[in-house]
Amino acid sequence: MIEMIRRFLRQRFGNPIVAVTLVVLALLIGVTIALSGTRAGTSSAFLALVILAARSVSKDASSGALQMILARPLRRTQYLYGRYAGILCAYAAFLVLCGVFAALLAVAALPALRVPAPPFDPRVLLRGLAGSLLGAVLFSAVLLFFSTFLPGYGDVLAYFLVAILLSLPEALGQALKTPWLGDAARVAHQNLLPEVDWDTVLGGQDVLGAPTGRWVLAVVVFLAAAALVFRRREFAYGQD
Amino acid sequence: MIVVENVSKSYGRFGRRTRALDGVSLEVQRGETLGLIGPNGAGKTTLLSCLLGFVRPETGAIRIGGRAVDDLWVRARTGYMPERLGFDRDLTGGAFLAHHWRLSGGDPTKTRGEVASAAARVGLEGPVLAKKLKTYSRGMLQRIGVAQATLGDPDLLFLDEPASGTDPLGVSIVRDRILEAKSRGATVVLNSHQLAEVERVCDRVVFIDRGRLTRSETLTGEAASRRRAIVRVPPERVEDARGLLDSAGIACQAAAEGALRLDGSTEAEVARAVKALALGDVPVLEVRSSAELEELFRESPTR
C-alpha cells in the first residue's frame, strides 16, 4: 500500500509538466484565497484534483504497467486503494502548498504592496482546505470507480455525464410537470453525489447530519464498487 | 509444479467470440524449462495470462504448487516479464528496480545491493541506472525487464518474448539469465518466436495453434524426441565414416563437404555414432545436434 502511494506521488510529481502546472495553480489559488477568501480559492482547487485523479487506474492498465505490478505479491485491492490513497495524499500536499502561498501573500506580500485584502484568519484557511480535502474524498472515489473499467479520460467524462444526468431530470420534471421525475433525480443526486457544507460541519455544527451520512455512504459504495469491478476485471494484453 | 487442466478461454462478445484457448492441458515439473511455440494469435500469451491470473479461464483449472494462480504465496515466488513492457518512463532504471524489489516483498535494507546485482547481471551498471527509462533504447528496456523479472531469484519465471528487439549481446544475456535460473532449480515458462534460443534453453516445448496444444517435444535427456545431428569428419574420410556408421546400424546421409547427417537420432545414438567413428580412427571435427524446431514447427498438424 505504502509503495503504491509512493509510486503514485512519483508518477504525478515526477512529471515536470504536471509538477509545474500544479505549482502555478497553487500560486494562483493562493492569490485568490488571499484576495477573495478561502471559499473562492478552494473551489478552483477542483481543477488540480481532476489533474491528479484522472486516469488513476486506466493509464496503468493501458500501458501494461499494471500487469507487471499485479504479478507481484499484492492484492488487487491493495493496488486500488493504494492509488486512491495516493490521490488524496497528492491533493493534500497540493492544498498545503496553496495554504502556504496564501498565508505568505496575506501576511507578507499584500501588506507590503498595500493591496487591500480581507483579514487573514489561519483557522478559516485551515477549515477551508480541510473541507476541500473532504470533498476530494468522494470525487476521487467516483473517479477511481470509473477508472477501473473505462479507458483513458473516460473516468472524468463519466463523472460529468453522471452529474449532468442526475441534474437533468429535475429540470425536465419541472418542464414536463412530472414531479416524480424531479423527485427521483433529487434523491439519486443526494445519495450518489451528496453535497456537504464542510465549512459548517468542520465548524462543529450538524456533524452527524443527513448530508454527512449520505456522503459517508456514497464514499463507501463507490470504493466497494470499484474493488468489486477491479477484482473481477481481466487484463489481457497484446497479440500472440 | 504447474498443472493446467482442460483450460478454455474465449474473447469477444455475442456472435464474434474468438476461441483463444481450447481445452489446453499440460504439466510443468519443478525445475523444468518449458517453451511455448506457435504462430501469432495461437493463444500463447493468453495461456501465460491465465497462468499469471490476469485472465480467468472459462473452463478448467490451473494450480501452481497446489495453489491458485493468484495466491500471494505463488506471487511471492514469481518473476514475470511481459512482451509489452509498461514502464513509468519518468523513473530511473534504479528506481524502477527498487520499486519492484519492494513490491516483491524484498528486505528494504537489501534494496540497493539487490538492484545493483540484478542490473549488473544484465549488463546495466553504474550511471545507466541513474538515467530515466525514457532515455533507454529498446534493447536496454528489454534488459531491465529481465532484471526486474529475475529480482530476488524467483522459483517461477514467466517470460514473454524476453529477447524481442534486442541485439545479439542482449539475446545472449537473456539466455544466460534463463540458464542461470535453470541451474538453481527454477521453473521457467518461455514464450518466444526465437526458435534457436528456445531450443538452447528449454527442456521441453509445446506447440500451440488456434488455442489447442498440438504437440509436445522433449529436447533434453533420455526422453528427448528425435534430433537431427550433423557429424563433420575430414572430407577424405567420409566414405570410411559412412561404412563405420552403417556397421553400427546408424542411418546417415552425406550432407555438405565432410558432413554426415544423422536423422531421427536420440542423444544416445549420437553418442554411439561418435564412439563408432572414434573407434574406427576417423577424426570427428564437429558434432551438432538439434531438435530442428523450425522444421517441427512447419510440420505441426495445423500448419
Side-chain angles (χ1 to χ4, degrees), chain A residues 150-230:
Chain A
L150 292 175
Y153 286 99
D155 50 359
V156 179
L157 294 174
Y159 174 85
F160 286 112
L161 195 64
V162 167
I164 290 167
L165 284 175
L166 289 178
S167 55
L168 201 59
E170 197 165 8
L172 273 177
Q174 284 170 358
L176 298 172
K177 293 181 181 170
T178 46
W180 64 267
L181 192 62
D183 290 345
R186 195 165 44 252
V187 169
H189 197 280
Q190 280 175 349
N191 286 283
L192 288 173
L193 300 174
E195 282 165 15
V196 184
D197 183 355
W198 289 113
D199 202 38
T200 307
V201 172
L202 292 170
Q205 294 170 28
D206 204 19
V207 176
L208 298 176
T212 320
R214 282 195 289 262
W215 176 84
V216 171
L217 184 66
V219 170
V220 170
V221 165
F222 277 111
L223 288 181
L228 198 68
V229 172
F230 192 63

Side-chain angles (χ1 to χ4, degrees), chain A residues 5 8 19 30 43 92 106 123 147 162 180 184 216 218:
Chain A
I5 296 171
F8 185 89
S43 57
R123 280 176 306 176
S147 192
V162 167
W180 64 267
V216 171

Side-chain angles (χ1 to χ4, degrees), chain A residues 1 3-4 6-7 10-11 14-16 60-76 78 230-240, chain B residues 9 11 39-46 49 52-56 72 75-76 78 80 82-88 90-91 96 99-100 102-104 132 148 160:
Chain A
M1 184 87 145
E3 189 56 29
M4 281 298 105
R6 193 189 291 186
R7 175 168 178 266
R10 226 169 18 213
Q11 278 181 318
N15 183 325
D60 274 353
S62 63
S63 73
L66 186 57
Q67 285 88 337
M68 289 170 89
I69 291 169
L70 293 183
R72 296 292 176 194
L74 184 82
R75 294 194 188 287
R76 288 190 178 195
Q78 284 177 298
F230 192 63
R231 284 180 66 179
R232 301 281 312 157
R233 197 177 157 192
E234 296 189 328
F235 295 98
Y237 72 92
Q239 295 290 314
D240 284 338
Chain B
K9 178 71 190 171
Y11 292 119
N40 292 332
K44 306 184 299 294
T45 297
T46 300
S49 296
L52 285 151
F54 301 154
V55 167
R56 273 184 303 279
L72 295 190
R75 291 265 165 86
T78 298
Y80 166 58
E83 180 180 9
R84 191 160 59 93
L85 293 159
F87 293 120
D88 299 331
D90 284 314
L91 277 185
F96 167 75
H99 170 62
H100 275 275
R102 288 190 293 265
L103 276 183
S104 67
K132 289 192 174 185
Q148 169 272 143
D160 199 355

Side-chain angles (χ1 to χ4, degrees), chain B residues 108-191:
Chain B
T109 60
K110 292 181 180 168
T111 306
R112 194 181 288 259
E114 288 290 336
V115 165
S117 159
R121 283 184 291 173
V122 295
L124 298 174
E125 287 171 275
V128 177
L129 285 182
K131 288 185 178 174
K132 289 192 174 185
L133 291 173
K134 62 184 173 191
T135 66
Y136 278 31
S137 66
R138 173 81 199 267
M140 286 162 77
L141 288 173
Q142 288 291 120
R143 286 200 220 173
I144 205 150
V146 173
Q148 169 272 143
T150 53
L151 265 175
D153 296 333
D155 297 332
L156 267 166
L157 257 184
F158 295 102
L159 304 171
D160 199 355
E161 296 290 356
S164 165
T166 57
D167 57 17
L169 178 63
V171 171
S172 103
I173 284 171
V174 170
R175 185 196 314 135
D176 289 347
R177 296 289 65 75
I178 296 173
L179 292 173
E180 185 185 74
K182 270 183 80 167
S183 69
R184 60 178 169 77
T187 307
V188 183
V189 178
L190 170 67
N191 174 21

Side-chain angles (χ1 to χ4, degrees), chain A residues 37-49:
Chain A
T38 307
R39 193 178 283 262
T42 50
S43 57
S44 314
F46 180 76
L47 185 58
L49 185 56

Side-chain angles (χ1 to χ4, degrees), chain B residues 216-228:
Chain B
S216 175
E217 296 282 343
T218 303
L219 304 181
T220 55
E222 284 300 308
S225 312
R226 65 170 204 177
R227 301 176 74 80
R228 181 161 293 176

